[in-house]
């Protein structure tokens, strides 16, 4: 078994989580055929190169779930918690050509999330790039509690300017 940290709980606004209870969870992907079936329901989202970008989550059941890229992660994950959440792009053959941990709802730490993402993609049989192609660093401001995306290694709160910690701090 790969090293794994704790799963990530929802850390976003309560009203988004409440609204998400009204919607269906993401479409579960167990085999490559499931991805083909889901893709056939998303034809309007496929770009000129045949790529399809989606919201994804991997819950405690270690099941990959997909939803429209405009969907909230907390809805896709039926509230969570998750091992992984972000955006994923598949090419026409079902290969993962881009994947990120970009979920402001769960703010997953990339290095703690990727091992399970990789394991689940391998189990389904979907080729992937072996890492998050985009790694997002999330930190909560210790002063005003805003969720921040750290940009260019600038560890300061967007809202109040307070210094952000080096270590992930949503636990
Ligand atoms: Zn702040």
């Amino acid at each position: 078994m790969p090293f794994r940290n704790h799963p990530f709980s929802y850390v976003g606004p309560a009203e988004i989580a409440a609204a998400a209870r009204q919607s269906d969870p993401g479409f579960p992907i167990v085999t490559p055929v499931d991805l083909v079936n889901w893709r056939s329901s998303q034809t309007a989202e496929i770009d000129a190169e045949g790529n399809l970008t989606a919201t994804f989550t991997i819950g405690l059941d270690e099941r990959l779930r997909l939803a429209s890229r405009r969907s909230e992660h907390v809805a896709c994950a039926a509230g969570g918690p998750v091992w992984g959440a972000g955006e994923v792009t598949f090419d026409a053959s079902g290969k993962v050509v881009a994947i990120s941990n970009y979920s402001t709802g769960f703010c997953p730490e990339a290095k703690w999330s990727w091992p399970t993402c990789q394991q689940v993609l391998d189990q389904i049989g979907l080729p992937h790039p072996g890492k998050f192609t985009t790694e997002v660093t999330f930190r909560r401001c210790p002063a005003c509690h805003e969720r921040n995306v750290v940009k260019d290694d600038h560890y300061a709160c967007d809202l109040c300017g307070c210094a952000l910690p080096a270590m992930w701090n949503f636990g």
Side-chain angles (χ1 to χ4, degrees):
M1 292 289 286
F3 168 79
R4 289 197 300 209
N5 208 275
H6 55 83
F8 300 94
S9 295
Y10 179 72
V11 294
E15 59 270 24
I16 292 179
R21 286 188 206 107
Q22 311 304 318
S23 49
D24 293 330
F27 187 89
I29 306 293
V30 181
T31 72
V33 174
D34 297 326
L35 180 60
V36 172
N37 290 337
W38 187 74
R39 183 182 169 91
S40 69
S41 73
Q42 302 289 314
T43 49
E45 303 287 325
I46 297 171
D47 71 15
E49 290 161 349
N51 292 338
L52 173 59
T53 298
T55 286
F56 84 88
T57 59
I58 296 172
L60 296 184
D61 59 0
E62 299 190 358
R63 182 138 306 161
L64 176 67
R65 290 182 182 273
L66 301 177
S68 155
R69 66 190 305 181
R70 290 174 302 281
S71 303
E72 296 289 347
H73 288 101
V74 66
C76 187
V82 300
W83 292 113
E87 286 204 324
V88 60
T89 302
F90 300 97
D91 72 7
S93 74
K95 179 183 175 188
V96 175
V97 293
I99 183 167
S100 77
N101 62 320
Y102 193 18
S103 167
T104 57
F106 289 99
C107 297
E109 177 81 337
K111 65 178 179 286
W112 294 337
S113 180
W114 175 253
T116 306
C117 295
Q118 172 165 293
Q119 176 191 317
V120 169
L121 292 170
D122 285 343
Q123 281 169 351
I124 299 166
L126 298 175
H128 59 75
K131 61 177 182 177
F132 287 125
T133 52
T134 300
E135 280 195 9
V136 182
T137 301
F138 298 99
R139 296 291 183 268
R140 188 183 286 289
C141 176
C144 77
H145 306 298
E146 176 77 354
R147 290 164 296 148
N148 278 264
V149 172
V150 177
K151 298 180 195 80
D152 303 323
D153 281 334
H154 183 62
Y155 283 74
C157 177
D158 284 338
L159 213 60
C160 76
C162 180
L164 299 173
M167 291 290 290
W168 186 87
N169 64 337
F170 292 88

